[in-house]
Amino acid sequence: MLDPLGPYCDNITDYRLSYYLILAPVCNYAKGKWVVDDRRPLYSGFGCKQWLAPMWACSLMQRQDFAFEKLRWQPKGCEMEEFEGPKFLKRMHDKTLAFVGDSLGRQQFQSLMCMITDGKDRSDVLDVGNEYGLVLPPGSIRPNGWAYRFLSTNTTVLYYWSSGLCELEPLDVKDPQTEYAMHLDRPPSFLRQFLHKIDVLVLNKGHHWNRGKLRANRWVMYVGDSQVPKHPHLKAFYRSISPRHFVNGDWNTGGSCNNTKPMSIGKEVLQEGSSDHAAVSAVRWTGVKLLDITALSQVRDEGHISRICITSSPGVQDCLHWCLPGVPDTWNEILFAQI
């Protein structure tokens, strides 16, 4: 029989390993179940103060039940590589990972920073936001993003706020009530300027693309501009939509998510395709990989900030954002396994 690997294996160990990699099925990380793991969480919400916003650290609020922090996602029929900060930094040596998206992308960014550092303060991490124009504009509450570099491996992790994932342009700069053109085939100026410096890109959108948000933001869709340039070195992921769990109303009509106990333990998620059909369609034939987190997050209704949110109005619950540590940590574990 002909050697399927030809001259590429120098010894029998290499041969067996390479032959296994050829025959081994690709792991579908979206199928599996949540299991209890006493080694969780991967970091402490009390300790990760350098990276984690207090409004998402449920340990610092009035929550009493923290069983949700002890769950680990177990893919069906395969093992997911265990996340370790030093291993991540070694894999991303001299590389940059960028999250571009809305506040849920910001949660995933802060989650990853806590995971890499074990939730501990690090004096060897440099704020390099200036290199990417991520500074606090006059009169703003926060900058458009953050960028940090781990000096030991020259690894940069950054986040940029872009709720629409496209360039927004005022139609009349002199009119404070002007509409904004959403150039759907023109990426945000941040990406046009810095994409060549990014090695791993994680995009997300979803909850800002609805009729209410479009009307409130005065966004009007436009098509007919330049395309995203091709970058052969880039690994790009599009994260599927993070589910909301409002019951008996929406965020502004009395909707709630009062469950605090995990109900998903041992229940398998076995669907073959993603339940976010729009995301599947968006990445088809693009070379962008789907980071499919929708179904596995759908069964974690107890993981939201809920009524303990410290920034909401009385009677308003947050059934969109997640407690950290929590479900977004798993999104990063799956991302790490696919980098």
Side-chain angles (χ1 to χ4, degrees):
M1 184 177 73
L2 292 176
D3 183 348
L5 302 175
Y8 298 108
C9 290
D10 295 331
N11 54 54
I12 191 65
T13 301
D14 288 343
Y15 179 94
R16 288 172 177 168
L17 176 59
S18 300
Y19 195 65
Y20 170 77
L21 292 175
I22 289 175
L23 297 179
V26 177
C27 184
N28 183 354
Y29 297 106
K31 295 171 62 175
K33 61 185 178 181
W34 291 99
V35 298
V36 177
D37 188 338
D38 288 334
R39 297 174 299 172
R40 301 299 167 113
L42 297 175
Y43 56 91
S44 168
F46 288 108
C48 193
K49 296 179 180 179
Q50 189 173 357
W51 322 110
L52 180 56
M55 64 181 178
W56 292 330
C58 292
S59 299
L60 303 179
M61 294 183 263
Q62 295 81 32
R63 184 155 185 158
Q64 302 297 319
D65 188 338
F66 288 90
F68 75 97
E69 290 187 349
K70 294 294 185 180
L71 299 192
R72 171 176 57 84
W73 178 249
Q74 173 60 60
K76 185 175 179 62
C78 54
E79 293 295 326
M80 186 161 62
E81 184 176 8
E82 188 169 345
F83 184 95
E84 296 176 3
K87 191 191 300 183
F88 171 86
L89 293 175
K90 182 178 180 180
R91 186 168 301 175
M92 291 295 296
H93 191 279
D94 290 331
K95 290 182 171 58
T96 295
L97 185 154
F99 295 97
V100 177
D102 58 20
S103 56
L104 287 158
R106 187 164 76 242
Q107 282 209 297
Q108 191 174 0
F109 160 73
Q110 293 189 7
S111 160
L112 182 60
M113 290 299 297
C114 290
M115 291 168 67
I116 297 171
T117 60
D118 293 325
K120 300 174 182 176
D121 289 352
R122 292 277 292 265
S123 59
D124 62 333
V125 181
L126 185 65
D127 184 341
V128 293
N130 282 330
E131 292 184 17
Y132 296 89
L134 302 176
V135 296
L136 184 66
S140 299
I141 300 176
R142 63 176 70 94
N144 286 332
W146 297 266
Y148 297 104
R149 182 165 298 139
F150 292 81
L151 299 180
S152 60
T153 56
N154 193 35
T155 301
T156 302
V157 180
L158 68 85
Y159 163 78
Y160 177 75
W161 165 266
S162 178
S163 57
L165 291 185
C166 63
E167 184 72 0
L168 296 172
E169 183 180 35
L171 297 182
D172 184 355
V173 294
K174 297 179 181 179
D175 180 7
Q177 298 301 315
T178 186
E179 292 183 326
Y180 289 79
M182 296 179 70
H183 295 288
L184 300 183
D185 50 0
R186 186 194 300 175
S189 58
F190 177 84
L191 282 180
R192 295 207 308 274
Q193 185 175 359
F194 296 110
L195 192 59
H196 67 284
K197 299 178 65 173
I198 298 172
D199 300 280
V200 179
L201 175 64
V202 183
L203 303 167
N204 91 278
K205 69 164 188 65
H207 298 291
H208 282 265
W209 283 60
N210 59 60
R211 291 186 180 90
K213 287 284 188 180
L214 293 178
R215 284 195 298 266
N217 292 324
R218 301 190 298 279
W219 289 352
V220 181
M221 295 184 183
Y222 276 61
V223 178
D225 298 299
S226 60
Q227 302 294 316
V228 180
K230 293 183 178 180
H231 296 269
H233 74 284
L234 179 68
K235 285 186 178 181
F237 297 86
Y238 183 74
R239 202 204 69 222
S240 64
I241 196 166
S242 172
R244 306 169 356 135
H245 287 94
F246 289 100
V247 177
N248 297 324
D250 212 325
W251 68 273
N252 57 350
T253 58
S256 63
C257 48
N258 292 321
N259 177 40
T260 61
K261 297 183 182 298
M263 306 294 288
S264 61
I265 298 173
K267 295 180 181 178
E268 291 189 307
V269 176
L270 297 177
Q271 63 188 48
E272 289 299 327
S274 174
S275 54
D276 187 349
H277 304 296
V280 173
S281 177
V283 302
R284 187 177 290 125
W285 314 119
T286 65
V288 177
K289 294 183 178 180
L290 182 66
L291 181 59
D292 188 9
I293 56 86
T294 303
L296 63 89
S297 304
Q298 185 68 54
V299 296
R300 293 297 309 277
D301 65 306
E302 88 291 354
H304 290 291
I305 296 174
S306 186
R307 60 180 177 273
I308 65 172
C309 181
I310 60 176
T311 59
S312 65
S313 302
V316 176
Q317 293 197 14
D318 188 344
C319 304
L320 170 63
H321 297 102
W322 303 89
C323 289
L324 292 177
V327 173
D329 302 336
T330 296
W331 306 348
N332 284 322
E333 290 180 278
I334 296 174
L335 173 65
F336 174 66
Q338 296 185 78
I339 293 177

